[in-house]
Amino acid sequence: MALASPFIVFAAVSALRSTSNDPRQWLPKSFAETDDYDWFGEQFGSDEIAVVSWPGCTIDDSRVSEVSAKLEASPLFDTVLSGPSVLAEMTESPNGMSRSSALRRLRGILVGPDLETTCLVLSTSAAGQADRVAAVEQIEQVTVSETDLDRSELRLGGPTVDAAAIDRESRRLLFQLAGFSALISFVIASLRMKSLRVAMIVLVVAGYSTAVALAILYLSGSKMNLLMTMLPPLIYVLSISSAVHLANYYRDSVLDSKCNDPLRKAISHGFMPCVLAATTTAIGLISLVMSKIEPIQEFGLYAAAGVLSSLTVLFTMLPAALHLFPPKINPDEATKANPKTTVAHLNASSRYIAFVNSRHLPILIVCLTAMAFFGWGLPYVKSTVKLQDRFLPDSDAIQDYQWLESNIGPMVPLEVLVRFDKDDPRELSEQLNVVAKVQAEIQSSEEQVVTMSAVNLSSALPSGSSIRDILERKIINSPVTLKRLMEAHFFARTETEQLWRITVRAEAIGDLDYGRFAERLKNRIDPLLAKENARGMYTGVIPLIYKAQRQLLQDLFRSFLAAFAVIGVVLVFVLRSFTAAALAMIPNLFPAVVVFGGLEWINVPIQIGSVMTASAALGIAVDDTVHFLTWFRRGLHNGLPRSSALEDAFERCAGAMMHTTFICAGGLLVFTVSSFVPILHFSCLMVALLLSALVGDLVLLPSILAGPLGKPFEKSVAPASQP
């Protein structure tokens, strides 16, 4: 393993450096909405943009043109539009309009409500999309150098800027917070395990397992993304969990005066529960591949692979380390060094189990009542993928969007396509009249939206038969106008259709329900288009956000139920009893029901990062359940009554369970300082799930085993053969 470490470290570091957060990867796959969005991109080009402005950025500000010229020369951007450039084009064209009329038509898109404040809208090229951080940094550098402004005065928005912010946060998570997380875990492990050497061995094993998981990611050709940045800490804490349990078995074997080979005994005792725990955890994680959202699929796949590979590291590296560097645990001194502590610990365990044995029914009722109370909120759990729910309210991203929406206009696009047959007899001017009617219908909606189409770039559409009207129609129908509209990406032709694009912008910051808004819009526009012998198509970010939002809940419940079913089947074979397996799954349901049901009670929506936690937590909860039941069944197998078997299992497992929970929770809590809300939610939920899983395994599970419900576990165990 030492010889292999340079190659593993190289692959792991290479994986950490290969960060890619493409906004498209968050879109649900295999849906008509995604296909429509892709088709729209083929006809009109990518809608990925970056928006930049600053206080004092006005139509007459000469710095706007200077910044625009510099950025347009960059290979990172295809086109750069600004209020002054579009205004000049609209007023200087053959049918040019007045400055005031042009400004009104650009209001909310390139010009603010005051008709003075403006912005630059940059279309990101393929090179810019390959490195969005570099693209945003170039915007900042050019703008600062040309305007003499401070970086803090710039106001940035758009998908490119959002993705760059996520990339930056990913790198901070990997290279700053992850290291601090490992340090916190090491400190807690040292304090809890009361042995610096054991703590070091456990954490080196966990670190090696994490590096192997990252190497698998790199060697398979995948890249890190924001969700994947949680792979290292997750594998790290899961590896710690298994390593602590195995180290605990080793310590118990050393303290057993009858044991001649503590390491062999520890492995024989820990092999089956650790394998079962890792398998069930991997099942919980692999169920995430059922998601329609690619980053969640990849996370589930590589997390499961990481958990299984860590099992190999656990049973090779940990025994070798314990053999080469055995911790100083003297069986005689261990009991004599501090007999009061040992006796107090045993007495506390005995008193607790005695309390559970005598009060198992009230404890069970309280736990099940809590599950029912919190579970009542599960059907009403909400999800969100809106921008304002991805960043903290005081973050730069939210502050910039609030400024842009107040001083320019709404930022979230919905694309409406008006579709005519290719052989439609109407001239462009007549088709444009239909587009104008649709646009007017959209603008009359009660939501605060702005629109932009070919109508905005054209003078008043002529409807009379005067010579002036005839000339204006000729100009509109001319090839020059057609070319200009196609270059502006507001008109396109396919082999079968003529397409007119209307860009609708809605608020990024606010309470607008994108799904209902898109549905209301469709219900109002479709009848109008039917009368005009045309068709409509609705695509863009808003329909996809709504679809992804609904998909999150479906993914959460589907993956959790799949993991629950498969783990349940595994436990049926292990426990040799359907009833015992069903009862054993109740404590494993406890954390998910309590935590996710609690989210609805405190009105916190589920984020993308939240989806991964339910299945992962199920696997983690089963981890401790398997260890506890293994020792409980061994006690029954050796002829102990249920109460004594329960006490023995508690004494052997409770300490390790608490160690792993506190070590893992301490390491994950570090990520709550992230400014990216999905990661913050992931870490908070994982900690809450870990703590509630501890309650489920040390409170709810013993109450089940101590009462009449524990009899199926007795029947599923064959008694030890008598000599």
Side-chain angles (χ1 to χ4, degrees):
M1 286 192 158
L3 290 173
S5 61
F7 304 99
I8 291 173
V9 170
F10 170 78
V13 172
S14 298
L16 293 175
R17 289 176 175 169
S18 61
T19 305
S20 174
N21 285 293
D22 185 347
R24 285 188 45 76
Q25 67 188 175
W26 305 99
L27 304 181
K29 306 294 182 184
S30 307
F31 286 118
E33 291 85 350
T34 308
D35 294 338
D36 289 346
Y37 185 72
D38 292 338
W39 182 82
F40 170 83
E42 292 172 4
Q43 310 309 318
F44 293 97
S46 172
D47 67 342
E48 184 173 333
I49 60 170
V51 181
V52 59
S53 186
W54 57 86
C57 179
T58 64
I59 285 289
D60 299 317
D61 188 347
S62 61
R63 297 176 298 179
V64 177
S65 299
E66 294 168 1
V67 173
S68 179
K70 282 285 183 71
L71 290 174
E72 200 158 14
S74 169
L76 300 177
F77 306 101
D78 286 331
T79 59
V80 181
L81 297 177
S82 67
S85 65
V86 177
L87 178 65
E89 184 178 347
M90 293 173 69
T91 55
E92 293 174 3
S93 59
N95 58 337
M97 62 190 76
S98 66
R99 176 185 170 93
S100 59
S101 177
L103 286 173
R104 285 195 300 272
R105 289 166 182 259
L106 295 176
R107 181 164 51 193
I109 300 291
L110 287 171
V111 178
D114 60 0
L115 300 182
E116 286 290 334
T117 305
T118 189
C119 64
L120 292 89
V121 178
L122 303 92
S123 177
T124 312
S125 67
Q129 292 175 25
D131 192 347
R132 293 176 177 85
V133 172
V136 172
E137 286 177 349
Q138 184 158 55
I139 293 173
E140 294 171 346
Q141 291 169 3
V142 169
T143 307
V144 168
S145 65
E146 294 296 322
T147 60
D148 293 328
L149 294 168
D150 187 76
R151 164 63 189 88
S152 62
E153 297 180 83
L154 301 184
R155 302 292 181 262
L156 302 173
T160 299
V161 176
D162 298 342
I166 294 172
D167 273 342
R168 286 169 171 168
E169 182 64 13
S170 298
R171 293 172 188 179
R172 190 172 80 92
L173 287 171
L174 290 171
F175 295 105
Q176 294 179 25
L177 297 184
F180 191 50
S181 171
L183 177 62
I184 294 295
S185 298
F186 174 72
V187 171
I188 296 174
S190 300
L191 294 174
R192 293 292 305 178
M193 302 181 75
K194 299 178 181 178
S195 170
L196 185 62
R197 183 174 297 185
V198 173
M200 288 184 66
I201 291 174
V202 165
L203 295 177
V204 167
V205 168
Y208 199 97
S209 299
T210 305
V212 169
L214 288 170
I216 293 172
L217 174 73
Y218 174 73
L219 295 173
S220 64
S222 291
K223 293 184 177 182
M224 300 293 290
N225 56 48
L226 187 70
L227 291 190
M228 206 65 78
T229 58
M230 295 311 299
L231 179 69
L234 183 66
I235 297 299
Y236 185 74
V237 297
L238 290 175
S239 301
I240 284 177
S241 176
S242 298
V244 166
H245 276 292
L246 196 57
N248 189 61
Y249 293 150
Y250 174 76
R251 189 181 186 89
D252 289 344
S253 300
V254 170
L255 296 175
D256 185 356
S257 58
K258 299 178 181 179
C259 178
N260 297 321
D261 192 345
L263 192 55
R264 183 182 297 273
K265 183 179 180 181
I267 294 175
S268 66
H269 280 177
F271 183 78
M272 187 54 66
C274 285
V275 168
L276 286 173
T279 302
T280 53
T281 303
I283 291 170
L285 291 165
I286 200 69
S287 68
L288 292 172
V289 301
M290 300 176 68
S291 172
K292 299 293 184 181
I293 298 176
E294 188 175 328
I296 296 177
Q297 291 177 348
E298 290 189 347
F299 181 88
L301 179 64
Y302 286 107
V307 168
L308 294 178
S309 64
S310 70
L311 196 62
T312 303
V313 176
L314 175 69
F315 282 108
T316 50
M317 191 173 194
L318 184 65
L322 290 174
H323 176 74
L324 292 171
F325 313 104
K328 297 177 181 178
I329 305 172
N330 188 308
D332 296 325
E333 293 178 1
T335 54
K336 296 177 182 178
N338 198 347
K340 292 183 179 179
T341 302
T342 305
V343 172
H345 171 72
L346 293 174
N347 287 342
S349 298
S350 299
R351 286 197 301 270
Y352 175 74
I353 295 302
F355 175 78
V356 170
N357 280 320
S358 61
R359 299 286 189 273
H360 59 83
L361 183 59
I363 294 173
L364 183 61
I365 291 173
V366 169
C367 291
L368 295 180
T369 301
M371 286 184 71
F373 174 78
F374 288 107
W376 185 264
L378 284 176
Y380 309 102
V381 170
K382 298 179 290 293
S383 62
T384 179
V385 290
K386 293 178 69 174
L387 172 76
Q388 68 188 56
D389 296 319
R390 279 186 267 161
F391 296 95
L392 294 174
D394 58 349
S395 66
D396 291 340
I398 296 299
Q399 298 298 320
D400 284 358
Y401 268 98
Q402 288 175 337
W403 189 95
L404 288 169
E405 295 203 326
S406 297
N407 292 275
I408 303 295
M411 289 284 151
V412 180
L414 165 68
E415 301 293 346
V416 178
L417 289 187
V418 180
R419 309 167 74 174
F420 297 93
D421 291 334
K422 185 179 181 181
D423 55 358
D424 190 284
R426 285 170 284 193
E427 295 180 328
L428 289 181
S429 59
E430 294 175 294
Q431 293 183 9
L432 201 54
N433 268 309
V434 176
V435 174
K437 291 179 183 179
V438 174
Q439 192 169 353
E441 185 68 27
I442 296 170
Q443 289 175 326
S444 66
S445 64
E446 59 187 28
E447 289 86 4
Q448 186 176 348
V449 297
V450 296
T451 60
M452 184 78 174
S453 73
V455 175
N456 297 68
L457 303 180
S458 306
S459 59
L461 297 174
S463 57
S465 57
S466 65
I467 294 176
R468 179 183 177 85
D469 288 344
I470 293 172
L471 289 174
E472 287 185 352
R473 275 196 294 272
K474 280 192 174 184
I475 292 172
I476 292 174
N477 295 327
S478 68
V480 174
T481 301
L482 181 62
K483 181 182 178 183
R484 184 165 63 90
L485 294 178
M486 293 182 77
E487 289 176 348
H489 300 296
F490 284 114
F491 179 78
R493 276 180 174 158
T494 68
E495 294 180 358
T496 58
E497 291 182 311
Q498 300 177 72
L499 309 173
W500 295 86
R501 173 188 182 183
I502 303 174
T503 295
V504 185
R505 294 249 182 106
E507 292 180 331
I509 310 298
D511 299 324
L512 178 63
D513 187 317
Y514 293 152
R516 291 181 181 176
F517 166 63
E519 193 63 31
R520 284 196 297 267
L521 212 59
K522 186 176 185 297
N523 292 337
R524 295 179 64 175
I525 294 174
D526 279 352
L528 173 61
L529 290 175
K531 291 179 183 178
E532 298 290 345
N533 194 26
R535 299 173 302 281
M537 177 177 168
Y538 309 86
T539 186
V541 174
I542 286 180
L544 289 170
I545 285 178
Y546 179 59
K547 190 70 179 181
Q549 192 164 299
R550 289 169 45 183
Q551 189 62 40
L552 280 182
L553 285 177
Q554 294 175 16
D555 289 347
L556 173 67
F557 290 110
R558 186 187 294 114
S559 63
F560 184 81
L561 288 175
F564 182 83
V566 176
I567 291 173
V569 171
V570 171
L571 288 181
V572 169
F573 283 101
V574 172
L575 299 177
R576 302 189 190 92
S577 167
F578 178 83
T579 304
L583 291 170
M585 290 302 288
I586 295 176
N588 300 319
L589 274 178
F590 182 82
V593 171
V594 169
V595 173
F596 281 95
L599 289 179
E600 175 57 26
W601 285 107
I602 61 176
N603 198 31
V604 174
I606 290 175
Q607 300 252 358
I608 282 184
S610 312
V611 175
M612 305 179 300
T613 59
S615 299
L618 178 61
I620 293 170
V622 173
D623 187 333
D624 286 342
T625 302
V626 166
H627 283 282
F628 195 95
L629 287 177
T630 297
W631 283 106
F632 176 72
R633 285 161 53 80
R634 280 176 181 165
L636 295 176
H637 178 76
N638 292 330
L640 294 177
R642 261 195 295 150
S643 58
S644 300
L646 189 59
E647 183 177 347
D648 182 61
F650 187 87
E651 289 176 0
R652 291 180 180 274
C653 298
M657 288 180 182
M658 288 187 284
H659 293 337
T660 57
T661 299
F662 294 137
I663 293 168
C664 296
L668 287 168
L669 277 174
V670 172
F671 293 93
T672 59
V673 303
S674 171
S675 62
F676 193 67
V677 175
I679 295 303
L680 187 153
H681 276 211
F682 176 87
S683 56
C684 288
L685 281 178
M686 283 300 295
V687 170
L689 287 163
L690 285 168
L691 294 175
S692 56
L694 189 65
V695 174
D697 284 321
L698 295 185
V699 179
L700 177 55
L701 181 59
S703 70
I704 291 173
L705 298 176
L709 295 178
K711 290 182 180 179
F713 294 90
E714 261 183 328
K715 296 177 181 178
S716 67
V717 177
S721 57
Q722 297 298 323

